[in-house]
Amino acid sequence: MITLLDYGAGNVRSVINAINHLGKEVKPVASPDDIDNASILVFPGVGSFGAMMESLSSMGYLEPLRRYLLADKPFLGICLGLQALFEKSDEARGTRGLGILQGHVKKFDVELAVPHMGWNGIRARQSSRLFNGLSGDEKFYFVHSFHVVADNPSDILTTTDYGYEFTSAVQRGNVAATQFHPEKSGQAGLKVLGNFLASTRESVNLVSCPEKTLLAKRIIACLDVRSNDQGDLVVTKGDQYDVREEGNVRNLGKPVELAEEYYRQGADEITFLNITGFRDFPLEDMPMIEVLRRTSEKVFVPLTIGGGIRNFTDRNGRVYTALEVASEYFRSGADKISIGSDAVLIVEEVLQKGGKTGDSSIEQIARVYGNQAVVISIDPRRVYVKSPEDCPHHVIKTSVPGPEGEDYCWYQCTIKGGREGRELDATTLAKTCQELGAGEILLNCIDRDGTNAGFDIELVNSVRSAVTIPVIASSGAGCAEHFLHVFEETGAEAALAAGIFHRKEVPIGEVKAFLSGRVPVRPV
Ligand code: 1PR
């Protein structure tokens, strides 16, 4: 029996699913005694350092946890569960950590996107039983803005490079902890977790030791999901957001099966967009929750879900907050949620009021689940203008002139799946959402969606240069070269596609094989 320390802050579903997948049962900690009685303890920290330490303290877990660690019983900390082992963190000055390991936690000080999000390598500093079956060339999934600085070099198990070298895993006796998420790192991560759970494994060295580790450019498969006219939940795909063909909703397959297939092919992440979420309330659309639950039992890479995350009053007058909707998605296995229409309305209000309110869904969800868990999905459409003075929005000079020879354009935000254009541009939206606490931008493009004409490089550059959080370029991929273009010509951290994967034109493995050696990718 594996004991899981969950202080109720967020998604531990993925960790439970991964442990179950490895054939072990999980018992969540329900009282301080459960920690004293544990024989193998896994601690996936979620949220922020201050909130985590406060919760551990108020639930009476701090002392039993210290006792457990000082007794050198088998322990695996994940992400914040690694940071908790240290003395203090810049994220919550004045709050003490467990202090089992000497050192502190500091924010990334780099000119790169923060959070450090995606698949990066490791360089081993010592042998470990966690390394059985690994070569040292694998990449693991990271998502964090803070990293530990260990005073004692003998505690460092691995380091990773992101702007500079930082400690990505620690080990002292039977206590180990990783900054990366083994439960979200595909087969390599499952090996690490499996090695930890099988206490009999011997300590081994990694054969390979990269001179420099590189953050991979992520390839994301997107599944637009909705009910068809027969009421079945299907993966569909639009051309410029029109998903109907001869009057019927295009049916490209079953969501769970397709997600599993893309995981096997080497997708670095899977995104589900509940595309009618703006009109059908997701908590009444339970099949989508079920899709997420079943997918997360078999797919061990990050899962994002979007659609319908907003405040809602049902027909009985019961009020649901966007935070409640998001929480249900996280409980069902989502690692990130994406907000589309509501983000536009929130930013309009912020701009109108001249500042944040503190209670928007973006701020609330980021506070509870962390910035990295909040993705903003933008659905912009190109609007041509003759000169920048013609409109109050963020205008760019374009190399693709408009129908009347216009040399300038702006990208208009839309809501309700592109049905309604608003007086707001994509760049302003992205910047404002970052200020509100969003951790990533999913940048679609209605003009390119389903066209196979390639990503809109001008749009990606315009938004990428306005924010410091990662940007996912989306819409228009028609061949492997398009992925190379978007990575070479913009600073996008990830590229998302749907149609070419669904139509089986270019499998994910082929995209990665083409990119390999040109840009860093996670090997399939
Ligand atoms: O507004 O918070 O309820 O979220 C609704 C979500 O559903 C938004 O993220 C929005 O992008 C998405 N959505 C709504 N309507 C559609 C539609 O197609 N009719 N999906 C839609 C479109 C675009 C991507 C697509 C890429 C890549 N989103 O999902 O996968 O364009 O396609 P390609 O590679 O085939 O070109 P809310």
Side-chain angles (χ1 to χ4, degrees):
M1 178 66 72
I2 313 302
T3 307
L4 184 100
L5 179 51
D6 170 17
Y7 50 92
N11 173 27
V12 291
R13 187 79 253 155
S14 317
V15 179
I16 295 174
N17 286 340
I19 296 175
N20 289 342
H21 179 80
L22 292 164
K24 306 271 186 194
E25 293 294 312
V26 175
K27 180 179 187 283
V29 168
S31 74
D33 285 350
D34 288 340
I35 301 179
D36 282 320
N37 297 331
S39 52
I40 302 182
L41 186 64
V42 177
F43 179 26
V46 185
S48 69
F49 189 90
M52 167 180 65
M53 295 312 300
E54 242 170 65
S55 300
L56 290 175
S57 168
S58 68
M59 293 167 114
Y61 292 167
L62 270 184
E63 284 320 309
L65 185 53
R66 271 204 192 98
R67 269 199 299 279
Y68 183 96
L69 291 160
L70 291 171
D72 194 30
K73 289 162 85 177
F75 173 91
L76 182 69
I78 300 173
C79 195
L80 220 50
L82 156 73
Q83 299 180 6
L85 297 175
F86 285 79
E87 294 162 304
K88 57 186 177 176
S89 171
D90 288 349
E91 195 179 3
R93 295 213 167 96
T95 301
R96 286 176 52 203
L98 290 161
I100 300 294
L101 301 183
Q102 291 65 53
H104 67 285
V105 184
K106 68 172 280 230
K107 188 155 192 190
F108 270 112
D109 184 12
V110 289
E111 286 184 1
L112 298 163
V114 175
H116 168 226
M117 187 186 290
W119 299 75
N120 205 332
I122 55 169
R123 201 168 26 239
R125 289 284 195 86
Q126 50 176 301
S127 63
S128 172
R129 64 187 186 84
L130 300 184
F131 294 157
N132 277 277
L134 300 179
S135 68
D137 289 323
E138 294 82 2
K139 288 193 188 283
F140 296 88
Y141 187 75
F142 289 81
V143 50
H144 58 128
S145 301
F146 291 79
H147 65 85
V148 300
V149 180
D151 290 350
N152 193 343
S154 66
D155 290 335
I156 301 175
L157 175 60
T158 67
T159 61
T160 294
D161 299 307
Y162 191 63
Y164 49 78
E165 184 179 18
F166 70 93
T167 298
S168 50
V170 297
Q171 175 175 273
R172 185 191 280 183
N174 284 314
V175 172
T178 60
Q179 183 60 66
F180 56 83
H181 289 261
E183 79 284 7
K184 284 285 142 190
S185 297
Q187 291 304 318
L190 290 175
K191 273 188 188 147
V192 169
L193 204 51
N195 288 333
F196 170 72
L197 300 178
S199 47
T200 52
R201 303 255 157 95
E202 291 197 346
S203 195
V204 294
N205 283 306
L206 290 177
V207 180
S208 184
C209 184
E211 204 169 295
K212 190 171 167 42
T213 73
L214 292 169
L215 180 67
K217 296 288 184 182
R218 284 170 283 153
I219 306 297
I220 302 176
C222 183
L223 287 80
D224 289 355
V225 180
R226 61 163 286 170
S227 296
N228 65 10
D229 300 320
Q230 290 72 46
D232 302 320
L233 211 57
V234 297
V235 174
T236 189
K237 185 69 223 19
D239 291 331
Q240 298 176 306
Y241 284 35
D242 180 2
V243 299
R244 287 186 183 269
E245 200 170 44
E246 293 168 7
N248 298 316
V249 173
R250 263 193 210 108
N251 179 351
L252 295 165
K254 295 185 180 165
V256 180
E257 281 78 351
L258 264 187
E260 279 182 62
E261 172 59 25
Y262 295 145
Y263 170 60
R264 274 194 297 275
Q265 286 184 19
D268 296 318
E269 280 182 44
I270 307 282
T271 295
F272 288 110
L273 295 176
N274 188 352
I275 67 170
T276 50
F278 71 90
R279 60 166 185 250
D280 308 322
F281 184 55
L283 297 190
E284 286 178 347
D285 190 8
M286 295 313 267
M288 196 60 216
I289 303 275
E290 186 57 23
V291 161
L292 195 55
R293 222 172 261 152
R294 284 177 42 215
T295 305
S296 67
E297 284 168 6
K298 294 186 176 153
V299 171
F300 300 103
V301 293
L303 300 177
T304 302
I305 179 140
I309 298 176
R310 64 198 151 95
N311 298 334
F312 183 82
T313 306
D314 74 9
R315 45 183 97 79
N316 303 318
R318 157 91 154 88
V319 178
Y320 295 84
T321 63
L323 178 61
E324 283 177 86
V325 183
S327 299
E328 188 56 38
Y329 278 147
F330 286 123
R331 267 195 295 277
S332 308
D335 301 288
K336 308 186 232 181
I337 52 90
S338 103
I339 306 178
S341 304
D342 205 35
V344 176
L345 304 178
I346 290 167
V347 169
E348 286 178 351
E349 194 185 340
V350 167
L351 296 178
Q352 197 198 352
K353 290 194 171 153
K356 326 183 198 182
T357 60
D359 59 5
S360 72
S361 55
I362 299 173
E363 290 156 286
Q364 284 187 37
I365 300 168
R367 249 194 315 269
V368 178
Y369 293 96
N371 307 56
Q372 82 293 334
V374 182
V375 182
I376 303 300
S377 169
I378 313 183
D379 299 317
R381 181 179 278 129
R382 202 175 248 246
V383 178
Y384 283 101
V385 287
K386 285 230 153 57
S387 89
E389 288 75 45
D390 284 356
C391 84
H393 303 294
H394 184 90
V395 171
I396 62 158
K397 189 157 184 1
T398 175
S399 60
V400 189
E404 318 247 313
E406 299 96 330
D407 287 326
Y408 296 90
C409 72
W410 65 287
Y411 289 94
Q412 181 181 34
C413 291
T414 65
I415 58 172
K416 302 178 183 169
R419 286 168 182 79
E420 193 180 318
R422 308 288 293 195
E423 281 303 311
L424 179 67
D425 65 78
T427 305
T428 305
L429 177 80
K431 254 168 70 173
T432 313
C433 287
Q434 171 175 313
E435 283 158 23
L436 292 172
E440 193 172 31
I441 302 292
L442 163 51
L443 185 56
N444 303 297
C445 176
I446 297 181
D447 314 279
R448 296 294 175 106
D449 176 57
T451 61
N452 285 10
F455 297 93
D456 187 330
I457 302 290
E458 292 176 342
L459 167 64
V460 179
N461 274 328
S462 167
V463 171
R464 184 71 201 78
S465 60
V467 294
T468 57
I469 54 179
V471 172
I472 304 166
S474 162
S475 305
C479 58
E481 285 83 350
H482 287 155
F483 290 87
L484 183 63
H485 292 165
V486 80
F487 290 136
E488 280 186 342
E489 292 167 31
T490 79
E493 281 73 15
L496 172 149
I500 54 165
F501 300 148
H502 301 337
R503 294 187 299 267
K504 305 191 173 25
E505 289 164 8
V506 189
I508 292 168
E510 211 173 299
V511 172
K512 288 200 164 176
F514 178 78
L515 293 176
S516 180
R518 297 174 158 113
V519 293
V521 286
R522 174 176 74 107
V524 176

